[in-house]
Amino acid sequence: MRNIKLYAGGAERWSREFDNGLVFLNMANKPWTAKVRNKYYKHLKVSQTPEINTGQNVADTVTVPAHDALFLVKR
């Protein structure tokens, strides 16, 4: 295992980098705003939840709704 990062706090919010993307999991009761590399990722382009999965580039932050997840792909 490599590139493991530990942060202070509970285990309600998780992120994981993959070779071609990034996943955020928010199990908390509040939305989570997380920093990402500016214009390095983009949203998926799929029909499920089209207001989020637009295929658009991501700026330097993303917001993950409470009890939800967000999948991003590298540009």
Side-chain angles (χ1 to χ4, degrees):
M1 295 175 75
R2 57 192 158 110
N3 296 330
I4 296 173
K5 299 173 188 172
L6 299 175
Y7 299 93
E12 296 175 326
R13 297 178 174 148
W14 293 75
S15 66
R16 170 123 190 249
E17 265 189 281
F18 294 89
D19 289 338
N20 294 309
L22 178 62
V23 176
F24 292 97
L25 174 63
N26 183 11
M27 297 176 282
N29 293 325
K30 297 179 182 177
W32 172 27
T33 300
K35 292 183 179 184
V36 296
R37 290 174 61 181
N38 193 25
K39 297 182 182 175
Y40 190 73
Y41 295 100
K42 65 180 182 175
H43 290 276
L44 298 174
K45 179 67 173 165
V46 295
S47 60
Q48 184 176 356
T49 319
E51 63 276 9
I52 295 173
N53 295 315
T54 61
Q56 297 294 316
N57 293 334
V58 174
D60 57 351
T61 61
V62 293
T63 300
V64 185
H67 304 284
D68 207 346
L70 180 65
F71 293 76
L72 304 174
V73 293
K74 286 184 182 175
R75 293 186 42 208

